[in-house]
Amino acid sequence: MHEFVDAMDAATSGCSRRDLLRGVALGWISSFLPAAFAATAAEDTGGFNALSALLTGRKIDDPTRSRRLFDALVADKASFMSDVAALLDMIRTRNIPVAQLQTALDSEKSPFAALPRAVVSAWYLGIVGSGKTARCLDFEMAMNAQVVGDVLKPPTYCYGGYGSWAVKPI
Amino acid sequence: MNASLRIGCLLCLLTASAAVRADTTADQVKRGEYLALASDCVACHTAPGGKPFAGGLAMATPIGAIISTNITPSKTHGIGNYSQQQFADALRRGIRVDGAHLYPAMPYTSYALMDDADIAALYAYFMHAVAAVDTSPAQTSLPFPFDIRASMAVWNLLYLDARPFIPDAGKSAQWNRGAYLVRGPAHCGDCHTPRNLLMAEDSSAELAGAQLGSWFAPNITSDANSGIGGWSDQDIVDYLRTGRAAGKAQAAGPMTEAIDRSLQFLRDADLKAMATYLRSVPARRDAGDDAPSYARGQAGDQLASNRGVPLPDDAQRMSGAQLYDAYCATCHQASGEGSFDARMPSLFHNTASGRARHDNLVMVILDGIHRGAEGRDVVMPGFGKELSDTQIAVLAAHVYQMYGNPHATISAEDVRQLRAGGPESHLVLLARLGFAGAIVLVILFVLWWRRRRRRRVR
Amino acid sequence: MTTDLSSDFVVIGSGICGSLVARELAMRGASVLILEAGPRLDRGRLVAAFRNSPRRSDWMSPYPAVAWAPHPIYQPEDNGYLVQAGPYPYPAEYIRAVGGTTWHWAAQAWRLVPNDMRIRSLYDVGVDWPMTYEELDPWYQRAEEIIGVAGAENTGSPRQKPFPMTPVAEPWSMRRFRERLAPEYAVVDNTVARNSRPYDGRPACCGNNSCQPICPINAQYTGGVAADAAEAAGAKLLPNTVVYHIEHDATGHIAAVHYFDPDKTSHRVTGKQFILAANGIESPKLLLLSASDKYPAGLANSSGMVGRNLMDHPSTSLTFYAEEELWLGRGPQSPSSINTLRDGAFRREHAPYRLDFTNINQVFAVTQSLIAEGVYGAEFEKQLRWRAARQCNVKNVLEVLPNPDNRIALSAQKDAMGIPKPEAHYSIGDYTRKGAEDSKPHFARIAELMGGTGLRYSAEGNFANNQHITGTLGMGSDPANSVADSYGRTHDHENLFICGTGLMPTSATMNSTLTAIALALRTADHLLPANASKSAEHAA
């Protein structure tokens, strides 16, 4: 679902109201459960964060962004969480390096072949899904923009004052 | 015209004019030209698209429009028949050659500080280097009782100190030069010093900030939070010359004209002198300024929860973050940090968002910033046509929250008022009431006095 | 039905041509009504919509079609509005909204060269125009001054007066092309409707690199600016009015037009003069739709040429990695070209073309490639930087000859308002294919001069569409084989005029917009000379 953050939420800079409510609710509920069953907000994104860190080679330390991309990926494919767990398991068991992962999955026609692409598309492009169900979740803050951010601005953002693009970039 | 072209023209005029006296030297005319730039005569005495100094600019004041006069050396329509003394009287005492009083929209209370040599130089410039224009602009016609120019005589008695500047022996030459320029020709206080009910400058609050229609000429006292106390000398000089103090502030509204037509032409030494003086103006702290106005805010965005969320069909329901994304982020960037080269400034660490008064932030959003000849250089476009009062209020609130002063408030009604020209002034009504009241008092007094006399006679 | 409105001049379509004609007429005191099928647009919302779109290279993504005035949409799925009858697809993109299609263009604003208008006489191909370049020159100049054109000298089109603005600052990437390709190839600054200084109350370019789909700051002239200017001049503009029928009287004089509002209520608008400016597909569609007993083949169609001679500027291209870092994406999207292959004796044999260098940001395309290749992690970041810094592209922009079989017709399919959809019949002829062949060695040589590796030619036989919809309402002096005269007055109806790229009888090699605007301004002067008084009758 698209989360519309209305103007009143602006004060909670970056955090959606749903996140706060979820965190509070879960915290309250978990205080009643035995520790072994305590479900914290972090756990359902845990596998996703681990796989994301593995594939992108970057620290995944933005919980708001993680949560949002995760929710979109789950909405796009209901089995996302279990697929992630299964793929992580496969990678650990067979010790597949990231550089060879996609080739291995493609050549084996693995049921998880689309999964790394879906995860990195979410982080690198900020896009989840394809065709009519494709959603944009990031653009200027997507990882691909950050990778080249010392030289380029994403389209629709000004480069600088008039003529600033005439000089050698770096 | 640029400075060198002007000088070229005036040299031609000089050689052509056989009537030039031996002691009206080219140097004096050049000095007069510089002083005319410092005094910014051209800004008020030229109508938009009109000939320089031929008058016709209607200046909106709380008491009505005051229209500038033709001060070219035209003998039929300008000041061509003025003697140097008459010129000095107009400049220092606000008195026209026909004896009528000028309104203090003409900043004669400031120009009164100018010394005789400078007045003579200005006279030489106007008489010999300015092209005569033989047309008259419309006459100023203010509502009763302000159309009684003679009342200015009383006002002048109360508020005009017509003595030229007296240097302070205990201060440096640089400070004195700065004081002379700031209080005299550059007449900074005419905009930046608050005025009392009778519209005279409140000298106890020098440069502490004043309302000018929709814009607010800010506090530029030496206060570290509310004023320029935390600025370096270079910041001040840069601002006066270019309209930008990097990482602090940029000129907008009427100040851009002051820079483009006047301050940018001043010599480096003079700008430095003005900076020296400004740093000594007694500090005035505005209520609630608990941090420097140029140091508030930080980079930030709400994109992690907003990117990809469709805009509401009703544009009036767009959130602050959505409005920022649609109208501001292109130049000021997604996190408010401004462009690589800072030509598009950061919105945090910027007095535009750091000051608690919202007037100038709203006006910049409405009108943008236009620099250069007749304001043709669009440095920032205005959004007054595209955005409603509600949208601007929501957007400004977002800017304050994300990048600026958390104590600033703004409503759609505030925006509506600023769009309409600023807080309403009841000065005309009050003056009329006051005048009527005075007449009633006089009538009552006369009646009482007559009754007293009659009683005595009986 | 009741007659709602009446006006001296009724303009159908508020794109750049319709709006600028309306503006001229309104400035001269005439009453002008502009009927626009689509809605009003807001520039800021378009910027946000593009950023929110998951389709980064889909320049129609900020411009969804509306049910009552659809336009062709191809992503994520083809909406089937522009029916393709083949044999070759003509997947034109255009915008039915206030301001029209030039909300998203690269603002290339070239003139033709004089020989472009005489290819029959000179080269025995195509047709001659019913006017000379010299006759159109003053209106080219006026068009350039209105929209603010920045250009370099020596781009092949003679001129009497300087450009309003000097060329837009050359991006580093283009400078390297220019320096490395010299002296063999002369790379020149494009002639563009883009501000190299503040102009007309609009700022100078600040390098958003998003000219298509939207210039966020109006540094580039657009139909949106033109529509605002028309309204500011006093023209009345009604959005969401879908004209579906042009009504004539017994003599063939146009009496009125009929339009639907979004609720499909019909309204009738009368006027003295009618100007059809709904683009090169929608205008012929409307003329064909208005067939009557007296005009069974549609209005203005005694020649049978309405909708025919459909042309475009197809492209093939080469993508490669330059050996040095160029970093495309800094500055405007289309800054430079090679202009020297536009004219010559070879035009007898094959199409001329312009060679266009893109400066579009490559990050999205490269990221997609790397993901498709399964490159992740640190290697992805390294490759992204390497490729985004070096990937570049050169394409040709080819002339297409008029061929009556290439045409826009009415489809049997209908849109949501019950109006027949337009149907494109198109093919790419040998003349154009030979031009593409001729350009290939140039592509290879350019890549060589840039130390290029990883050369990827566009697929053989694949021509990209450039949305320059020309020919369908071709002007000419002979009513037997043209739709309108050189003033755009239809031969069949004395008070029905055409404005737009459809009027151009040949396509030449340059983007068509400036020529269409110049023709439209000439039409406006013909309709109502500048020194005519408010109540004066229009010129005969």
Side-chain angles (χ1 to χ4, degrees):
Chain A
M1 286 309 294
H2 291 277
E3 179 73 26
F4 185 87
V5 180
D6 73 19
M8 304 309 287
D9 284 347
T12 56
S13 40
C15 223
S16 79
R17 196 162 39 186
R18 202 172 73 171
D19 277 356
L20 289 176
L21 286 174
R22 184 205 303 264
V24 165
L26 283 172
W28 185 76
I29 289 167
S30 68
S31 66
F32 289 103
L33 294 173
F37 290 101
T40 62
E43 240 179 52
D44 49 354
T45 55
F48 168 62
N49 288 344
L51 180 60
S52 301
L54 196 66
L55 292 173
T56 64
R58 284 191 170 225
K59 271 181 80 161
I60 305 296
D61 56 7
D62 183 342
T64 309
R65 194 162 254 110
S66 267
R67 161 61 53 185
R68 202 161 173 248
L69 295 180
F70 173 81
D71 285 347
L73 287 158
V74 167
D76 192 60
K77 193 161 187 220
S79 60
F80 182 73
M81 255 181 79
S82 53
D83 289 351
V84 167
L87 182 59
L88 276 171
D89 203 49
M90 180 196 297
I91 292 169
R92 284 178 193 136
T93 310
R94 292 168 47 182
N95 220 351
I96 312 175
V98 170
Q100 292 160 25
L101 176 64
Q102 194 63 57
T103 319
L105 294 174
D106 287 343
S107 62
E108 293 166 20
K109 297 198 184 0
S110 161
F112 307 120
L115 182 53
R117 290 204 171 94
V119 169
V120 299
S121 291
W123 288 102
Y124 289 154
L125 290 172
I127 297 175
V128 170
S130 61
K132 284 174 78 171
T133 55
R135 280 183 60 192
C136 164
L137 292 128
D138 263 324
F139 168 54
E140 57 280 278
M141 299 301 179
M143 270 184 198
N144 67 350
Q146 289 172 41
V147 168
V148 297
D150 59 325
V151 190
L152 293 176
K153 289 288 184 194
T156 72
Y157 285 96
C158 89
Y159 188 76
Y162 174 76
S164 52
W165 49 85
V167 298
K168 189 161 190 259
I170 41 172
Chain B
M1 263 203 290
N2 65 26
S4 53
L5 194 54
R6 270 206 203 93
I7 290 169
C9 281
L10 78 86
L11 283 173
C12 288
L13 281 164
L14 283 173
T15 50
S17 167
V20 172
R21 291 166 50 199
D23 53 356
T24 306
T25 59
D27 275 349
Q28 196 181 32
V29 170
K30 204 162 140 187
R31 179 177 167 168
E33 183 193 13
Y34 183 78
L35 285 161
L37 284 170
S39 311
D40 206 7
C41 315
V42 74
C44 290
H45 283 278
T46 310
K51 297 218 169 74
F53 304 111
L57 178 70
M59 289 164 279
T61 75
I63 57 173
I66 295 180
I67 302 172
S68 64
T69 53
N70 181 336
I71 56 170
T72 72
S74 161
K75 292 197 186 297
T76 46
H77 296 80
I79 60 169
N81 293 320
Y82 276 50
S83 67
Q84 188 168 310
Q85 184 57 48
Q86 287 165 331
F87 182 83
D89 282 346
L91 228 51
R92 286 205 188 113
R93 294 172 56 211
I95 295 180
R96 276 192 332 216
V97 73
D98 64 356
H101 284 269
L102 304 174
Y103 294 109
M106 164 68 179
Y108 57 85
T109 51
S110 296
Y111 295 156
L113 265 73
M114 288 206 268
D115 59 36
D116 292 342
D118 282 350
I119 297 282
L122 277 167
Y123 182 74
Y125 170 67
F126 275 99
M127 289 304 152
H128 298 293
V130 171
V133 176
D134 294 325
T135 54
S136 271
Q139 295 284 348
T140 295
S141 158
L142 295 178
F144 179 84
F146 298 104
D147 53 346
I148 304 174
R149 285 181 183 257
S151 62
M152 290 310 307
V154 177
W155 192 92
N156 286 342
L157 264 177
L158 291 171
Y159 298 117
L160 173 62
D161 179 352
R163 292 173 300 165
F165 178 75
I166 300 163
D168 184 335
K171 301 273 206 305
S172 67
Q174 194 182 44
W175 184 95
N176 277 301
R177 176 68 179 162
Y180 178 74
L181 287 170
V182 171
R183 291 187 190 159
H187 64 285
C188 308
D190 273 77
C191 290
H192 286 273
T193 300
R195 289 176 183 263
N196 62 25
L197 193 63
L198 288 180
M199 295 182 59
E201 287 179 38
D202 176 1
S203 51
S204 70
E206 189 181 3
L207 303 180
Q211 190 81 38
L212 295 169
S214 302
W215 294 88
F216 190 83
N219 178 332
I220 52 171
T221 68
S222 59
D223 189 77
N225 289 356
S226 306
I228 49 131
W231 293 35
S232 67
D233 282 358
Q234 193 58 49
D235 285 333
I236 299 171
V237 170
D238 284 345
Y239 184 92
L240 293 175
R241 182 181 295 117
T242 69
R244 284 285 296 269
K248 291 197 170 68
Q250 59 286 305
M255 189 63 190
T256 60
E257 187 182 49
I259 290 166
D260 288 335
R261 300 187 98 152
S262 170
L263 298 168
Q264 65 157 324
F265 298 112
L266 298 190
R267 287 186 279 264
D268 206 46
D270 279 345
L271 291 176
K272 285 193 175 124
M274 289 170 74
T276 301
Y277 173 73
L278 286 170
R279 296 180 141 286
S280 75
V281 169
R284 286 279 286 226
R285 169 77 43 100
D286 296 322
D289 278 356
D290 50 8
S293 56
Y294 58 81
R296 291 207 187 259
Q298 62 204 4
D301 66 87
Q302 295 177 351
L303 291 166
S305 42
N306 271 302
R307 181 49 73 224
V309 174
L311 299 179
D313 285 340
D314 179 1
Q316 300 309 307
R317 295 182 55 79
M318 285 168 74
S319 69
Q322 288 177 322
L323 288 164
Y324 182 82
D325 185 31
Y327 299 98
C328 317
T330 287
C331 294
H332 292 288
Q333 306 296 323
S335 303
E337 72 268 30
S339 59
F340 283 140
D341 56 3
R343 297 257 295 269
M344 312 329 180
S346 149
L347 291 183
F348 53 88
H349 294 184
N350 189 327
T351 55
S353 66
R355 289 209 186 91
R357 288 193 71 109
H358 54 236
D359 307 63
N360 294 352
L361 179 61
V362 171
M363 287 309 296
V364 160
I365 296 173
L366 282 169
D367 287 0
I369 298 179
H370 295 68
R371 301 287 306 269
E374 294 177 20
R376 293 230 181 93
D377 290 354
V378 180
V379 161
M380 169 174 161
F383 296 89
K385 285 204 197 117
E386 287 151 282
L387 297 179
S388 68
D389 294 342
T390 302
Q391 287 176 312
I392 292 177
V394 169
L395 174 57
H398 173 84
V399 169
Y400 280 129
Q401 208 149 26
M402 293 294 295
Y403 309 117
N405 192 318
H407 310 304
T409 59
I410 178 73
S411 69
E413 173 57 23
D414 292 331
V415 179
R416 188 203 64 75
Q417 224 181 58
L418 288 168
R419 229 194 253 266
E424 288 170 53
S425 167
H426 300 291
L427 202 47
V428 175
L429 178 62
L430 284 171
R432 286 179 173 168
L433 286 174
F435 203 88
I439 291 179
V440 166
L441 278 173
V442 167
I443 291 172
L444 285 173
F445 175 77
V446 167
L447 287 173
W448 170 83
W449 189 76
R450 275 175 152 187
R451 261 181 69 177
R452 201 164 160 263
R453 263 190 60 188
R454 262 191 244 125
R455 260 199 248 121
R456 275 228 236 112
V457 163
R458 275 199 227 117
Chain C
M1 79 204 42
T2 53
T3 297
D4 297 43
L5 293 157
S6 187
S7 193
D8 286 347
F9 294 96
V10 178
V11 179
I12 302 163
S14 67
I16 202 168
C17 291
S19 288
L20 287 177
V21 165
R23 175 180 174 268
E24 291 292 297
L25 298 169
M27 285 195 317
R28 295 166 200 191
S31 68
V32 183
L33 176 65
I34 310 172
L35 299 172
E36 167 54 52
R40 289 193 187 270
L41 299 176
D42 174 271
R43 198 174 75 248
R45 286 175 65 100
L46 292 168
V47 173
F50 182 60
R51 290 184 188 144
N52 286 336
S53 167
R55 300 185 303 280
R56 304 271 156 79
S57 57
D58 173 16
W59 291 324
M60 288 299 288
S61 55
Y63 307 101
V66 297
W68 58 93
H71 51 234
I73 294 288
Y74 303 104
Q75 297 183 50
E77 303 184 326
D78 192 329
N79 72 347
Y81 175 69
L82 180 57
V83 177
Q84 300 293 336
Y88 197 85
Y90 191 89
E93 291 177 347
Y94 54 87
I95 299 173
R96 287 173 88 190
V98 173
T101 304
T102 54
W103 276 102
H104 76 21
W105 64 320
Q108 303 224 31
W110 304 90
R111 300 187 180 199
L112 301 179
V113 290
N115 288 354
D116 283 335
M117 296 161 96
R118 301 176 55 222
I119 56 175
R120 174 102 248 159
S121 307
L122 290 172
Y123 308 118
D124 227 9
V125 292
V127 299
D128 286 345
W129 287 46
M131 67 172 69
T132 63
Y133 178 93
E134 289 68 35
E135 284 175 291
L136 194 54
D137 189 324
W139 284 279
Y140 266 137
Q141 185 71 37
R142 181 148 168 72
E144 288 161 348
E145 286 165 8
I146 291 173
I147 73 177
V149 172
E153 304 306 319
N154 304 326
T155 52
S157 303
R159 53 187 313 114
Q160 308 296 318
K161 294 193 223 165
F163 280 107
M165 286 184 276
T166 51
V168 176
E170 180 187 49
W172 173 260
S173 56
M174 297 295 115
R175 174 175 157 181
R176 293 305 295 140
F177 268 100
R178 178 171 53 78
E179 290 170 345
R180 290 184 74 136
L181 266 47
E184 207 166 318
Y185 294 103
V187 174
V188 299
D189 296 311
N190 285 348
T191 305
V192 288
R194 188 175 346 278
N195 289 353
S196 58
R197 60 171 171 81
Y199 189 89
D200 183 36
R202 296 175 290 110
C205 178
C206 64
N208 291 303
N209 200 250
S210 65
C211 323
Q212 301 158 109
I214 178 74
C215 175
I217 66 170
N218 272 353
Q220 156 173 297
Y221 196 83
T222 71
V225 176
D228 284 347
E231 288 189 282
K236 190 169 151 122
L237 197 160
L238 293 183
N240 302 316
T241 54
V242 184
V243 177
Y244 67 92
H245 183 74
I246 301 175
E247 176 196 319
H248 63 84
D249 69 16
T251 67
H253 190 85
I254 305 300
V257 296
H258 299 251
Y259 72 81
F260 286 133
D261 63 30
D263 297 325
K264 220 182 156 178
T265 307
S266 184
H267 304 257
R268 182 172 179 266
V269 175
T270 55
K272 296 193 183 121
Q273 308 269 23
F274 295 82
I275 297 160
L276 183 52
N279 93 17
I281 289 177
E282 296 293 329
S283 288
K285 172 187 135 187
L286 184 54
L287 290 174
L288 296 171
L289 272 181
S290 302
S292 60
D293 290 338
K294 188 172 163 74
Y295 301 104
L299 293 191
N301 203 15
S302 58
S303 62
M305 290 294 130
V306 167
R308 292 193 183 269
N309 303 305
L310 175 65
M311 295 174 284
D312 178 43
H313 293 124
S315 290
T316 63
S317 65
L318 169 64
T319 305
F320 60 93
Y321 300 119
E323 76 179 339
E324 63 178 89
E325 295 194 355
L326 300 176
W327 289 104
L328 264 56
R330 302 165 72 245
Q333 282 183 341
S334 287
S336 304
S337 298
I338 290 170
N339 233 358
T340 48
L341 300 156
R342 294 170 63 179
D343 187 38
F346 63 82
R347 288 177 92 169
R348 283 184 178 275
E349 314 303 329
H350 67 76
Y353 47 89
R354 179 171 61 85
L355 288 176
D356 182 281
F357 296 102
T358 188
N359 187 39
I360 290 174
N361 185 309
Q362 299 291 302
V363 171
F364 176 62
V366 167
T367 306
Q368 281 186 309
S369 301
L370 288 169
I371 294 176
E373 293 166 35
V375 178
Y376 309 138
E379 186 61 20
F380 165 84
E381 300 198 13
K382 185 164 147 237
Q383 287 290 332
L384 173 57
R385 282 185 74 90
W386 193 93
R387 295 188 193 186
R390 290 168 181 75
Q391 183 156 288
C392 55
N393 172 286
V394 58
K395 76 177 191 191
N396 52 34
V397 181
L398 293 152
E399 180 165 29
V400 164
L401 289 177
N403 174 349
D405 290 339
N406 292 342
R407 65 196 187 280
I408 296 294
L410 293 180
S411 168
Q413 299 178 40
K414 302 211 164 110
D415 67 20
M417 296 294 249
I419 299 172
K421 297 179 183 177
E423 182 173 87
H425 300 247
Y426 191 62
S427 60
I428 309 267
D430 279 344
Y431 186 77
T432 303
R433 289 176 192 273
K434 284 192 213 155
E437 278 308 302
D438 185 76
S439 70
K440 270 205 190 139
H442 291 302
F443 286 172
R445 180 65 183 140
I446 287 167
E448 191 179 17
L449 289 168
M450 295 301 291
T453 55
L455 274 62
R456 286 150 280 160
Y457 290 87
S458 56
E460 193 59 41
N462 248 31
F463 292 85
N465 191 294
N466 276 299
Q467 359 288 334
H468 301 158
I469 309 166
T470 39
T472 50
L473 297 160
M475 58 171 167
S477 31
D478 183 357
N481 54 27
S482 60
V483 176
D485 67 16
S486 74
Y487 294 104
R489 184 198 298 257
T490 57
H491 295 303
D492 295 349
H493 312 280
E494 51 162 2
N495 66 337
L496 178 61
F497 288 77
I498 311 267
C499 290
T501 51
L503 262 184
M504 296 169 62
T506 62
S507 62
T509 52
M510 292 331 234
N511 311 49
S512 342
T513 303
L514 189 77
T515 300
I517 296 172
L519 291 169
L521 294 174
R522 189 164 175 270
T523 298
D525 276 354
H526 186 68
L527 278 165
L528 189 61
N531 56 5
S533 67
K534 200 176 168 111
S535 56
E537 283 293 276
H538 48 267

